[in-house]
Amino acid sequence: LHRRLPMFQLPDVAVLLEAFANPRFRQGEYLHRSLTHMGLLLQHRDDASVEDLAKTCIALRDLYPQPEEISTEVKAGLQLLGEALLLRELSELTPSQAVHVLHCMTHWRLVNTEPQTSNAPADLSWTLARELKGKLRNAGKEKPEDLAVLAEAMFTGGIRHEELWEELVTNLEFEMHRLPASFAAS
């Protein structure tokens, strides 16, 4: 990793971050170096696809919780990812990806924070919530657990979008019997 990390592109970093969700795989400074490399890619390159940005964001969600130093880096990376995603066509995301990106931003507590000069994660979360309206019926049929994830994200992040919430509750009632037990309990 030490030798090859500088050659990694964003999809490679996303796969590496997915692996780091397993604490046994985190060796030494590699998580820190991977986050630094991801930050550099996001700051100096603008060729990442919406899907790659979403996968990276979702991989970062699974790293929660972390020590303060790493947590700060993850949040900075999510800020950059939020900015990059806001510049892309978000309609290219599947409803499942949109739900999980939204969940990532709320999971790391980036949505309901004190006002900052730039709060791209909050802007992105609200944009994704508006984008999801009208798409939950089909999304629930494909992956009913995404409805439970969205409910948790909206509650945790304080996203009060009444129309989306009503649609979510209606579709949860339709798909409740198909939810795995862990998602039904949440």
Side-chain angles (χ1 to χ4, degrees), residues 110-184:
L110 295 174
V111 176
N112 260 352
T113 57
E114 293 79 39
Q116 303 169 351
T117 54
S118 169
N119 194 353
D123 294 343
L124 175 64
S125 297
W126 279 98
T127 303
L128 289 172
R130 285 189 294 273
E131 191 75 31
L132 282 168
K133 186 171 174 344
K135 298 180 180 177
L136 296 184
R137 185 68 194 127
N138 290 334
K141 287 179 181 178
E142 290 176 26
K143 291 186 175 179
E145 60 272 7
D146 286 348
L147 298 175
V149 171
L150 178 59
E152 180 185 343
M154 289 181 71
F155 177 76
T156 305
I159 297 173
R160 289 170 179 57
H161 189 299
E162 293 301 320
E163 295 168 354
L164 182 62
W165 185 257
E166 288 173 17
E167 182 181 349
L168 177 61
V169 169
T170 301
N171 286 299
L172 272 170
E173 289 172 358
F174 288 134
E175 301 298 334
M176 192 177 340
H177 66 283
R178 295 181 50 222
L179 286 175
S182 60
F183 288 98

Side-chain angles (χ1 to χ4, degrees), residues 5 18 37 44 49 57 69 89 92 95 102-103 130 157:
L5 186 61
E18 285 174 6
H37 186 68
H44 299 291
S49 70
C57 185
E69 179 184 324
E89 184 60 46
E92 293 178 18
L102 178 72
H103 186 243
R130 285 189 294 273

Side-chain angles (χ1 to χ4, degrees), residues 64-81:
Y64 186 85
Q66 288 293 320
E68 187 61 34
E69 179 184 324
I70 297 293
S71 231
T72 303
E73 284 188 64
V74 170
K75 289 178 180 179
L78 288 170
Q79 179 77 23
L80 292 170
L81 283 164

